[in-house]
Amino acid sequence: MSYVRLVNVTKRFGDVTAVDNLNFEIGKGECFSMLGPSGCGKTTTLRMVAGFEDLSDGEVWVGDNLMSSPRKNHYLPPEKRNFGMVFQAFAVWPHMSVYDNVAFPLQIRKLPKSEIEQRTTDALKATNLLSAANESPDFLSGGGKQRVALARALAINPDVMLLDEPLSSLDPHLREEMRFEIKELQQKYGFSIIYVTHDQSEAMALSDRIMVMKLGVMQQIDTPLNIYNHPANQFVFSFIGLSNFLNVVWRDGKLYLKGEGDKLAMPDELVPPEDLKGEPELSLASRPSEINFTSMTDPEALHGVVSRKAFLGEIIDYQIKAGEQTLRVQKGRRDPGPEAGENCAVHFERPFWYKGHAK
Ligand SMILES: Nc1ncnc2c1ncn2[C@@H]1O[C@H](COP(=O)(O)OP(=O)(O)OP(=O)(O)O)[C@@H](O)[C@H]1O
Ligand SMILES: [Mg+2]
């Protein structure tokens, strides 16, 4: 059942359309991530949901309650929306103890003293901060400071937790650990999460569903697995995981690798789906781990030369030159493979075809 709902949400800053006609719905208790490169409109979207930014058009709903609608001249201020928020920068107050940092928003809401104590203590317990309650957050590590921000957001008992790159200033190991802590807190408290990140592995690990955005426009909304296995377009393919794109041209019913004169024919049995056969320009997308070395006589194989072979520990990373284009192939360190400088034939285990050439 949908809980948070964005309907045709648009935000313009002067000539820039930061968010372009966005529609999505989030279920109660769901973790929904917004993923995309810098400037694609993630923070702007989150700020509109929170009420820090007005909308140029569209509506934001939570359950049956309208939060924002410029057309209906309706706007509920942030403090009336029951959202917890954690941002990238450590937004803790150094002159207050950890305890007071967490209790402060509850005091502003003028809750009864006993309830403030109870909620603050619970939130500090849940984030493993009880022993630091009387210290200044200045003495805490980056992870500790983000826990204080999380505890403060938890204490208000939010319906929805809005998290904008909350882990990006932490070191990789801590970042991974805190992902699971956030997930555990969500399971315990049952709030919904809208999580902003440009780290795809973070989005994959945390989310029930991911929305991929580009230049303010939604590209795909789906489960992490479906986004990885069925990317809706070239952009999504390139943004999730490692990717290869070979640009090919379709001429007189045959495919050729793009390059000087477009003379290098693609193997006859490596063909795009029916609906793309009329397209003059196509790209063949593949993942480095889903390409195999095969025999030179394999009718589906593309031929090339190994231009670089690098040992990366568990995997071996090959760079293959096919005409003027390059492919990356990754195999396990125990898998047989050609040496640098040798000719080779590669077989695409799971080729994807998209209209148009990759840049
Ligand atoms: N207050 C503002 N005034 C003018 N333009 C803005 C303002 N806030 C954001 N923008 C523009 O809106 C677009 C989206 O910005 P936004 O901060 O939402 O991106 P983002 O996806 O969060 O990026 P990042 O990953 O870098 O945080 C950008 O082009 C940005 O320059
Ligand atoms: Mg941002």
Side-chain angles (χ1 to χ4, degrees), residues 94-113:
H95 58 284
M96 284 185 192
S97 68
V98 166
Y99 184 95
D100 288 336
N101 260 277
V102 177
F104 187 65
L106 305 177
Q107 287 155 355
I108 290 193
R109 285 166 194 233
K110 301 205 164 51
L111 293 182
K113 216 168 159 216

Side-chain angles (χ1 to χ4, degrees), residues 279-341:
E279 292 296 328
E281 295 190 341
L282 293 171
S283 64
L284 164 59
S286 57
R287 308 253 182 230
S289 60
E290 294 180 337
I291 300 176
N292 293 324
F293 292 111
T294 179
S295 100
M296 299 296 276
T297 54
D298 182 340
E300 285 181 30
L302 180 75
H303 291 186
V305 182
V306 180
S307 51
R308 196 181 68 200
K309 180 175 180 177
F311 175 65
L312 304 180
E314 278 310 302
I315 50 171
I316 299 188
D317 189 90
Y318 298 85
Q319 195 183 59
I320 311 292
K321 206 110 193 132
E324 289 164 26
Q325 300 188 56
T326 48
L327 269 182
R328 199 164 164 195
V329 177
Q330 290 191 334
K331 294 282 107 194
R333 68 188 160 95
R334 291 198 171 84
D335 296 335
E339 297 304 324

